Amino acid sequence: MKLSSIGRKLVMGISGLFLIMFLTLHLAINLMSLISRETYETACHFMDTNPFVQIMVPVLALGFVVHIVMGIILTIQNRKSRPEEYKVKSKTKVSWASKNMLALGLIVLGLLVIHLGHFWAKMQLQHFLCNEGENPYDLVKTVFSNGWYAAMYVIWIMVIYFHISHGFWSMFQSMGATNKKWLPRLQKISIIYSHIIMIGYLAIPIYFFIGFGES
């Protein structure tokens, strides 16, 4: 069955919600590494053994794939509907992030593949294959002690920041959950949320790169 334009936007919004949930959960777990080695290792063990988490993570990952694919489809359709630039430019202000959502999403996807190669492949995948896998705290400490990877991770988080600063409130709009009263509020919440995500994620590589991690 072929989805209508409204249906595709709805799927885009719902899959975007999955990404927000994943980012929030992932940050909550990773911030445990700033508390202590034991706390982080306990949190990772919980993630690896809890049945609900084992089901939820693949679902959220599928939502990510759907979000990217639908984003590409919607971008192509929008460009086809506007093959030529309008002669009269709209007076409505459009943010840089909103004009570059596809490019930002593709950068996020590309760097995510590298990130998965450094972490998921050496921990969760190994557990799935019934191997011991690397110690999560030691792996985080080692990876973020590498200057080029820490710099790449910072760039990745900044791209995610720009993507969700627009995508957070746009997600609700796509699902039809906004109006003239709530849209400005959601846009403000979007800015607050994206800053929390950015600061939280950036704190982790900076902490370990400077050398504050436990031995």
Side-chain angles (χ1 to χ4, degrees):
M1 183 179 67
K2 188 175 181 180
L3 288 173
S4 65
S5 177
I6 295 177
R8 285 189 288 269
K9 289 181 179 180
L10 180 60
V11 172
M12 190 71 175
I14 295 175
S15 61
L17 179 60
F18 282 16
L19 294 184
I20 294 298
M21 292 171 60
F22 177 80
L23 284 172
T24 304
L25 174 63
H26 199 57
L27 177 60
I29 297 298
N30 286 348
L31 285 176
M32 297 297 103
S33 65
L34 305 186
I35 298 176
S36 70
R37 170 188 286 274
E38 182 181 0
T39 302
Y40 183 60
E41 290 176 352
T42 300
C44 289
H45 179 72
F46 171 79
M47 294 290 289
D48 289 336
T49 58
N50 185 277
F52 176 72
V53 173
Q54 294 301 303
I55 296 173
M56 182 177 65
V57 170
V59 172
L60 294 178
L62 178 61
F64 178 82
V65 174
V66 171
H67 189 73
I68 293 295
V69 172
M70 198 58 64
I72 294 172
I73 292 174
L74 287 174
T75 300
I76 293 174
Q77 289 181 337
N78 289 337
R79 289 178 178 176
K80 284 184 177 179
S81 65
R82 299 194 301 268
E84 297 180 2
E85 295 292 331
Y86 291 118
K87 292 182 179 180
V88 180
K89 293 184 178 180
S90 171
K91 294 182 179 180
T92 304
K93 290 185 178 180
V94 180
S95 68
W96 178 86
S98 66
K99 292 188 294 184
N100 294 278
M101 288 297 282
L102 177 61
L104 292 171
L106 291 176
I107 293 173
V108 170
L109 178 60
L111 295 179
L112 176 64
V113 172
I114 299 175
H115 185 64
L116 290 175
H118 281 83
F119 289 98
W120 179 80
K122 296 180 180 179
M123 291 192 296
Q124 290 87 350
L125 178 59
Q126 296 304 314
H127 294 154
F128 177 77
L129 297 175
C130 298
N131 297 325
E132 184 176 352
E134 297 193 27
N135 178 277
Y137 190 89
D138 288 337
L139 182 59
V140 169
K141 181 180 177 181
T142 300
V143 171
F144 286 129
S145 295
N146 186 312
W148 81 264
Y149 186 86
M152 186 207 70
Y153 189 86
V154 168
I155 294 172
W156 185 40
I157 296 305
M158 293 304 298
V159 173
I160 290 177
Y161 162 77
F162 283 113
H163 191 77
I164 63 175
S165 66
H166 171 78
F168 185 90
W169 67 264
S170 180
M171 168 185 68
F172 290 98
Q173 189 176 53
S174 297
M175 294 188 291
T178 60
N179 52 41
K180 291 182 178 179
K181 181 179 180 180
W182 270 98
L183 183 57
R185 296 176 181 177
L186 288 171
Q187 289 174 330
K188 291 179 180 179
I189 294 174
S190 179
I191 295 298
I192 294 172
Y193 175 80
S194 57
H195 274 82
I196 291 174
I197 290 294
M198 177 184 68
I199 294 171
Y201 274 106
L202 289 181
I204 300 167
I206 292 173
Y207 177 85
F208 285 99
F209 182 72
I210 292 176
F212 288 152
E214 298 179 21
S215 58

